[in-house]
């Protein structure tokens, strides 16, 4: 039997890594005894779960056969190994022929699998601890090391959880109770402060990734800030903003102007009337007392960002995270993607996973491509999401901030709308707003909004 050559860093090579050759043999032997169990095994084990190199080679060949729809037995496995040149690496055909001689109890297959997963998880813990020791003694950034450890722990915890099947009897009754409870509430998620948007989305939901997109200068950052203010100030719920573009002072100035209704141009010059000073001081007090937190660190990697958001949930109890904006987040250190689209896709996927694991909504701002400026009407579509179609796939809600006046000077300067182009659990529609550029504020329009389409999203159940 060939042992895996790699050892976890900072762990003496004299210490044998956790593994169970008997359980690995039992699983492989069970497949050879009855190839029908391969579907059960493949749903729980990967090649990396096996420790012995010979068993990895055998299992990889089994996976190849299964993927092609070929029934796995001794003959098909032998043929596949010969094609791959792996027969000698496993110890010859003699070793292959003896795998099922121990007559493993197929009825205990889940127990064998559980042991293999448990040993593999222990090896991952050793590797993670070894990497942490290496970084601790080395020159790696402490925050980067802690963020990476924190990011990997949920996966290790999940690996030890056995999959379970629940009958519909256990699922339907609590679901009906939830629906009944929902009928007593006016809104299920966090209110955004914009009634028509809340009617369409039922608020900002825990575990959801909400993408707010737009071309530069159209107000996506202002709209996200307005939503954050509504949640933190009007509802007194903690909100965290990770501003990778604007500084904390720039963002605070915008919010001061929005809250006080004092034009930013006047505030910057300092020539305020007594009434304006009074409103500004009152707005400053309101902001200072609100549970609103800002991190304006530039060039954050997704690893750093995940760590900081997790910490904010634990320390400040934030119920909403805002990331401004997605394309400014750097990929994981040391990981190189084929292209920028792949990088952005992995970042949006990581933010969706983070929202689910923390149980909070995450708002991520996104740029739009220049294609939107080349078409008649300049109205954005999902195809305009810059650099990655994965953003559309990962997002539960995609909303575009659109102001026609930016393209057509004859259009009303205050005219604005939020176009909900994707809503995984509800409808889509165009929601009119009023843009107050002097204070970077979006307000609700008194005009009736067009009837939204409730057939553009996926079935909520």
């Amino acid at each position: 039997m060939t042992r895996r050559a790699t050892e976890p860093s900072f762990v003496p090579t004299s210490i044998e890594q956790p593994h169970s050759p008997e359980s690995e043999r039992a699983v492989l032997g069970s497949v050879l005894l009855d190839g029908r169990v391969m579907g059960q095994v493949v749903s729980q084990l990967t090649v990396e779960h096996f420790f012995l190199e010979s068993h990895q080679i055998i299992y990889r060949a089994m996976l190849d056969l299964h993927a092609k729809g070929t029934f796995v037995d001794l003959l098909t496995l032998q043929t596949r190994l010969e094609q791959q040149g792996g027969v000698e690496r496993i110890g010859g055909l003699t070793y292959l022929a003896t795998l099922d001689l121990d007559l493993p109890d197929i009825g205990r297959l889940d127990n064998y699998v559980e042991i293999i997963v448990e040993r593999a998880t222990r090896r991952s813990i050793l590797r993670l601890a070894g990497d942490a020791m290496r970084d601790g003694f080395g020159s790696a950034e402490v925050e980067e090391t802690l963020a990476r450890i924190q990011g990997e722990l949920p996966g290790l915890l999940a690996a030890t959880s056995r999959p379970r099947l629940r009958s519909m009897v256990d699922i339907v009754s609590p679901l009906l109770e939830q629906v009944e409870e929902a009928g007593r509430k006016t809104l299920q998620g966090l209110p955004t402060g914009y009634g028509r948007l809340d009617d369409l989305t039922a608020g900002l939901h825990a575990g959801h990734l909400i993408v707010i997109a737009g071309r530069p200068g159209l107000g996506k950052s202002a709209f996200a800030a307005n939503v954050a203010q509504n949640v933190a100030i009007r509802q007194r719920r903690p909100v965290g903003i990770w501003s990778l573009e604007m500084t904390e002072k720039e963002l605070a100035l915008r919010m001061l102007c929005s809250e006080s209704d004092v034009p930013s141009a006047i505030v910057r010059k300092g020539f305020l009337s007594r009434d304006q000073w009074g409103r500004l001081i009152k707005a400053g007090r309101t902001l200072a007392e609100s549970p609103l937190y800002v991190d304006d660190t530039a060039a954050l990697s997704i690893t750093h960002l995940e760590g900081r958001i997790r910490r904010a949930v634990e320390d400040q109890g934030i119920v909403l995270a805002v990331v401004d904006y997605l394309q400014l987040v750097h990929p994981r250190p040391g990981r190189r993607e084929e292209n920028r689209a792949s990088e952005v896709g992995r970042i949006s996927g990581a933010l969706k996973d983070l929202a689910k694991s923390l149980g909070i909504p995450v708002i991520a701002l996104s740029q739009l491509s220049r294609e939107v400026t080349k078409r008649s009407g300049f109205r954005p579509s999902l195809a305009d999401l810059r650099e990655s179609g994965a953003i559309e796939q990962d997002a539960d809600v995609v909303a575009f901030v659109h102001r026609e006046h930016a393209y057509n000077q004859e259009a009303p300067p205050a005219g604005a709308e939020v176009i909900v182009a994707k809503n995984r659990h509800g409808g889509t529609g165009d929601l009119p707003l009023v843009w107050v550029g002097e204070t970077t504020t979006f307000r609700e329009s008194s005009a009736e909004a067009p009837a939204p389409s409730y057939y553009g999203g996926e079935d909520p159940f």
Side-chain angles (χ1 to χ4, degrees), residues 379-392:
R379 293 182 66 77
S381 68
L382 291 172
D384 297 320
L385 286 170
R386 185 173 177 182
E387 293 176 321
S388 180
I391 298 175
E392 177 189 348

Side-chain angles (χ1 to χ4, degrees), residues 156-351:
L156 292 178
L157 289 170
T160 60
S161 302
R162 297 186 63 181
R164 61 191 179 95
L165 292 174
R166 299 184 63 199
S167 71
M168 292 304 294
V169 172
D170 298 324
I171 298 172
V172 170
S173 295
L175 180 60
L176 291 176
E177 292 177 6
Q178 182 181 343
V179 172
E180 183 180 7
E181 179 66 22
R184 303 191 187 104
K185 296 182 179 180
T186 57
L187 201 64
Q188 294 305 298
L190 282 173
T192 64
Y194 297 95
R196 289 185 178 87
L197 181 59
D198 289 335
D199 287 343
L200 200 61
T201 63
L204 306 174
H205 291 262
H208 282 193
L209 175 63
I210 300 97
V211 173
I212 298 175
R215 289 291 297 158
L218 289 191
K220 60 182 180 296
S221 295
F223 182 73
N226 292 165
V227 171
Q229 289 170 246
N230 290 333
V231 174
I233 295 174
R234 256 61 76 182
Q235 302 166 45
R236 307 297 302 172
R237 307 292 298 278
V239 177
I241 300 177
W242 280 263
S243 178
L244 283 76
E245 185 174 38
M246 286 190 294
T247 67
E248 58 184 20
K249 291 182 179 179
E250 290 172 331
L251 187 58
L253 180 60
R254 279 193 173 193
M255 291 183 173
L256 275 173
C257 295
S258 179
E259 282 298 309
S260 64
D261 200 27
V262 177
S264 59
I266 294 178
V267 174
R268 285 191 172 92
K269 293 177 182 177
F271 300 126
L272 284 78
S273 67
R274 180 173 297 180
D275 175 67
Q276 289 171 332
W277 262 117
R279 298 206 308 268
L280 197 69
I281 291 171
K282 182 179 179 181
R285 187 179 297 115
T286 299
L287 274 173
E289 294 173 352
S290 72
L292 190 57
Y293 304 91
V294 178
D295 182 343
D296 66 353
T297 306
L300 280 177
S301 71
I302 183 60
T303 305
H304 274 121
L305 184 60
E306 287 172 327
R308 295 189 183 196
I309 294 177
R310 286 183 185 277
R311 186 66 181 268
V313 170
E314 295 170 3
D315 293 352
Q316 282 78 34
I318 66 167
V319 298
L320 171 65
V322 180
V323 179
D324 184 9
Y325 56 93
L326 199 152
Q327 282 83 5
L328 290 181
V329 180
H330 288 201
R332 299 191 190 281
R335 181 160 194 165
R336 301 188 63 180
E337 301 291 344
E338 295 179 0
N339 50 55
R340 180 58 179 160
S342 297
E343 287 182 351
V344 173
R346 287 197 179 276
I347 291 167
S348 67
L351 289 177

Side-chain angles (χ1 to χ4, degrees), residues 115-185:
I115 292 172
I116 292 174
V117 171
E118 188 265 345
R119 297 294 194 276
T121 304
R122 288 182 179 275
R123 295 197 299 272
S124 295
I125 293 172
L126 284 174
R127 175 191 54 76
L128 186 59
D131 289 346
M133 290 179 67
R134 179 200 62 210
D135 292 347
F137 282 107
S139 59
E141 292 184 20
V142 172
E143 189 176 16
E144 183 72 39
T145 300
L146 293 175
R148 184 163 52 80
I149 293 172
Q150 192 174 39
E152 290 196 35
L153 285 178
L156 292 178
L157 289 170
T160 60
S161 302
R162 297 186 63 181
R164 61 191 179 95
L165 292 174
R166 299 184 63 199
S167 71
M168 292 304 294
V169 172
D170 298 324
I171 298 172
V172 170
S173 295
L175 180 60
L176 291 176
E177 292 177 6
Q178 182 181 343
V179 172
E180 183 180 7
E181 179 66 22
R184 303 191 187 104
K185 296 182 179 180

Side-chain angles (χ1 to χ4, degrees), residues 56-120:
Q56 289 185 342
I57 294 171
I58 293 170
Y59 187 60
R60 185 177 289 109
M62 287 180 169
L63 289 177
D64 291 344
L65 292 171
H66 182 74
K68 294 180 179 180
T70 304
F71 190 79
V72 180
D73 58 22
L74 185 58
L75 181 60
T76 58
L77 181 59
Q78 175 183 334
T79 302
R80 183 60 180 164
L81 287 169
E82 288 173 344
Q83 292 172 346
Q84 296 177 333
V87 174
E88 296 304 320
R89 295 173 63 195
I90 68 169
L93 295 177
T94 301
Y95 182 70
L96 188 64
T98 60
L99 276 178
D100 58 354
L101 289 183
D102 296 333
L103 294 178
D105 183 356
I106 295 181
R108 296 184 57 205
L109 181 59
D110 280 339
N111 298 115
Y112 303 144
V113 169
E114 186 177 357
I115 292 172
I116 292 174
V117 171
E118 188 265 345
R119 297 294 194 276

Side-chain angles (χ1 to χ4, degrees), residues 357-405:
S357 66
L358 294 179
I360 65 170
V362 173
I363 293 177
L365 276 60
S366 176
Q367 291 278 28
L368 290 181
S369 70
R370 298 180 187 275
E371 293 301 314
V372 68
T373 65
K374 299 177 182 178
R375 75 170 64 97
S376 171
F378 308 106
R379 293 182 66 77
S381 68
L382 291 172
D384 297 320
L385 286 170
R386 185 173 177 182
E387 293 176 321
S388 180
I391 298 175
E392 177 189 348
Q393 176 182 329
D394 296 324
D396 295 277
V397 174
V398 177
F400 300 115
V401 176
H402 180 63
R403 293 192 294 114
E404 188 179 349
H405 181 75

